[in-house]
Amino acid sequence: LLERGKEFQPGEYPDTEAEALGEMQSHLPDGKHIGSRTGLYDLHQNHDIDVFVGCGLGGTSLVNANVSLQAESRVFDDPRWPAELKRDLPTLVEEGYKQARMMLKPTPYPDDFPTLPKLEALKASAKQLDGKIYKTPINVTFQDGVNHVGVEQKKCNLCGRCCSGCNHGAKNTTLMNYLPDATNHGAEIFTCTS
């Protein structure tokens, strides 16, 4: 497995603004590039859309918000989707979602964890609007222990750093599951391969 970026283990993600700035890179619309090409925070700026991705062993899973939702079927109603993909939705695509859930272990925020003010505000808003609210499944560990591929993880400590890199080791990034599983099955991983 080849990875353009570096490997970051829990405890190695930027903790300060200066450290974060050192891990920024930006691809500009005119083709210019700013920052290290192996910087963790990788912004692709374009005329119509900007895209933020992670550059590191584990990719964007290192710096996303962990939300693990299956696309609603109406997403695939768009005629621009290839017919071949649409035919595979109930079989291969559904199996892919099942396999991803087995590996990433998404779970809603536990009821026995501390109350989150933002969640309580959303519940109050939903009640006022006669709406429904549910806690989305997130790829976070809420118990200490060794996970299903043999990696030691700690339960979430609510630090709020999911999108800058989990230094605690509770986030179920691909670095905590898919990649160790691959090495358990003989894969070799090489970083900084740009």
Side-chain angles (χ1 to χ4, degrees), residues 119-134:
L119 181 57
E120 294 307 306
L122 289 170
K123 286 178 184 178
S125 295
K127 185 176 180 180
Q128 288 295 317
L129 298 169
D130 292 325
K132 294 181 182 178
I133 187 171
Y134 67 96

Side-chain angles (χ1 to χ4, degrees), residues 10 25 42-43 48 54 56 59 64 77 85 87 98 102-103 127 130 138 143 150 154-155 164 166-167 172 176 181:
Q25 63 171 304
D42 190 356
L43 179 63
D48 297 327
N64 65 17
D77 290 343
L85 179 106
R87 275 196 301 273
K98 177 182 170 189
M102 286 175 28
M103 189 60 80
K127 185 176 180 180
D130 292 325
I138 53 177
Q143 297 184 115
K154 296 178 184 173
K155 70 179 180 181
S164 60
C166 178
N167 275 321
N172 295 337
M176 296 293 182
D181 191 54

Side-chain angles (χ1 to χ4, degrees), residues 14-175:
D15 267 336
T16 66
E17 289 179 15
E19 289 174 356
L21 186 59
E23 289 297 334
M24 276 300 300
Q25 63 171 304
S26 185
H27 305 262
L28 304 174
D30 62 5
K32 291 182 183 171
H33 184 272
I34 299 170
S36 168
R37 293 198 180 269
T38 60
L40 176 62
Y41 309 119
D42 190 356
L43 179 63
H44 295 255
Q45 296 175 290
N46 298 286
H47 296 292
D48 297 327
I49 189 172
D50 295 338
V51 178
F52 177 75
V53 298
C55 177
L57 185 60
T60 302
S61 76
L62 301 173
V63 295
N64 65 17
N66 317 326
V67 177
S68 192
L69 292 174
Q70 184 167 336
E72 295 179 8
S73 59
R74 66 183 172 88
V75 168
F76 299 103
D77 290 343
D78 189 309
R80 290 175 283 195
W81 286 102
E84 297 81 4
L85 179 106
K86 290 172 111 172
R87 275 196 301 273
D88 287 341
L89 286 173
T91 55
L92 296 175
V93 174
E94 185 58 42
E95 179 62 22
Y97 277 121
K98 177 182 170 189
Q99 294 294 325
R101 283 189 297 271
M102 286 175 28
M103 189 60 80
L104 297 171
K105 305 291 185 199
T107 185
Y109 185 78
D111 291 332
D112 62 347
F113 260 56
T115 301
L116 300 175
K118 186 182 282 187
L119 181 57
E120 294 307 306
L122 289 170
K123 286 178 184 178
S125 295
K127 185 176 180 180
Q128 288 295 317
L129 298 169
D130 292 325
K132 294 181 182 178
I133 187 171
Y134 67 96
K135 294 184 275 185
T136 59
I138 53 177
N139 302 328
V140 175
T141 296
F142 293 103
Q143 297 184 115
D144 291 332
V146 176
N147 72 16
H148 59 293
V149 298
V151 175
E152 180 75 33
Q153 287 189 268
K154 296 178 184 173
K155 70 179 180 181
C156 180
N157 66 355
L158 305 178
C159 70
R161 293 191 170 173
C162 294
C163 293
S164 60
C166 178
N167 275 321
H168 190 62
K171 186 174 172 186
N172 295 337
T173 64
T174 59
L175 186 65

